[in-house]
Amino acid sequence: MIPEFFYELNPIVQALLGGLFTWTLTALGASLVFFTKKINYPLLDSMMGFAAGVMIAASVWSLIIPSIDMAEAQGSIPWLPAVIGFLGGGLFLRVADQYLPHLHLGFDRSEAEGVPTKWRRSTLLVLAITLHNIPEGLAVGVLFGAAASGVDITGTATVAGAIALAIGIGIQNFPEGMAVSLPLRRDGAKVGKSFWYGQLSGVVEPVSAVIGAAAVIFITPILPYALAFAAGAMIYVVVEELIPESQHHGNTDLATLGTLVGFCVMMVLDVSLG
């Protein structure tokens, strides 16, 4: 299923392509604004729940398990790097969440978080999505770097597994692009501007993917910590943002079912491709 030439690419290039793929899916979701400005909240909430399920499964199968296996193979206490990295990733997002101005989907401008600012609502919405796209890009890049590092003798971090992660994150990025562009269009922004801001939230993923891959390639001892760091950051996003937002409009059952489906889809992708 995976072209042979892809395995021969430099892992940083692989990470860049993976990040560009996830950004493309964000842009495709944002492009729905060219066809409608009506927000189907039951559909949106179920898709946001789906995104949460994908990220939970990716954190476990693609990141935490390889982190534990890699630490054990290196002679470390198996759970220690995973715990340190996981908590570090969550703490990083907590600090960023506290200080970076942003506005969660579905909330009024007066409910913006971070340091006080006069930035526009559209900018704050994009920053909210961008904030949680950073760990997604890092996760893709770190896994490509881990697969190419040669230190993972357990074989749990593979190029195929990194591709599966990129596919899963790309799928869940589709509703995120839509969740930015459609509310902006509904609020009176022009179509082009709404699309621009929607896709802009995903631009950070190729950048963070390259940074993640380069970091673990050149500093291989941090691999188990880096994998768990990305997992902790993603789980923070799921609990603090995606799940509350998916249930904000009263579609609790749909959002929960979406989470279960997303979890299963990512699990199948990781097991079948990884």
Side-chain angles (χ1 to χ4, degrees), residues 185-203:
R185 180 72 181 113
R186 182 200 59 188
D187 292 345
K190 293 183 178 179
V191 173
K193 181 179 180 180
S194 300
F195 169 75
W196 173 256
Y197 278 113
Q199 63 81 33
L200 191 63
S201 63
V203 170

Side-chain angles (χ1 to χ4, degrees), residues 232-256:
M234 290 210 297
I235 292 297
Y236 183 94
V237 168
V238 168
V239 177
E240 197 270 342
E241 185 170 341
L242 285 182
I243 289 179
E245 286 177 4
S246 70
Q247 303 190 9
H248 186 63
H249 304 103
N251 300 304
T252 302
D253 292 339
L254 279 175
T256 302

Side-chain angles (χ1 to χ4, degrees), residues 44-215:
L44 178 60
D45 291 342
S46 62
M47 293 181 75
M48 295 298 283
F50 178 90
V54 167
M55 291 178 70
I56 294 170
S59 297
V60 176
W61 267 271
S62 300
L63 300 170
I64 292 294
I65 292 177
S67 171
I68 292 172
D69 291 345
M70 206 175 297
E72 185 174 19
Q74 293 174 355
S76 303
I77 300 173
W79 52 264
L80 187 59
V83 169
I84 294 174
F86 188 84
L87 293 177
L91 181 61
F92 169 78
L93 258 291
R94 174 68 186 93
V95 172
D97 191 62
Q98 182 174 356
Y99 291 104
L100 180 69
H102 63 283
L103 178 64
H104 293 302
L105 299 170
F107 290 85
D108 294 330
R109 173 65 178 79
S110 60
E111 298 177 273
E113 299 179 12
V115 296
T117 179
K118 294 183 179 180
W119 292 348
R120 294 180 178 179
R121 183 173 185 272
S122 56
T123 302
L124 296 174
L125 282 171
V126 172
L127 286 175
I129 300 294
T130 300
L131 179 61
H132 82 237
N133 279 349
I134 293 174
E136 294 173 9
L138 281 175
V140 171
V142 165
L143 204 54
F144 274 115
S149 66
V151 302
D152 178 24
I153 62 175
T154 66
T156 52
T158 64
V159 172
I163 292 173
L165 178 62
I167 292 173
I169 288 178
I171 291 172
Q172 64 95 31
N173 274 0
F174 185 88
E176 292 181 358
M178 179 177 66
V180 174
S181 63
L182 291 182
L184 290 177
R185 180 72 181 113
R186 182 200 59 188
D187 292 345
K190 293 183 178 179
V191 173
K193 181 179 180 180
S194 300
F195 169 75
W196 173 256
Y197 278 113
Q199 63 81 33
L200 191 63
S201 63
V203 170
V204 71
E205 292 200 10
V207 177
S208 54
V210 168
I211 292 173

Side-chain angles (χ1 to χ4, degrees), residues 50 52-54 56-58 60-61 258-268:
F50 178 90
V54 167
I56 294 170
V60 176
W61 267 271
T259 301
L260 295 176
V261 172
F263 186 95
C264 290
V265 167
M266 186 63 227
M267 180 175 61
V268 170

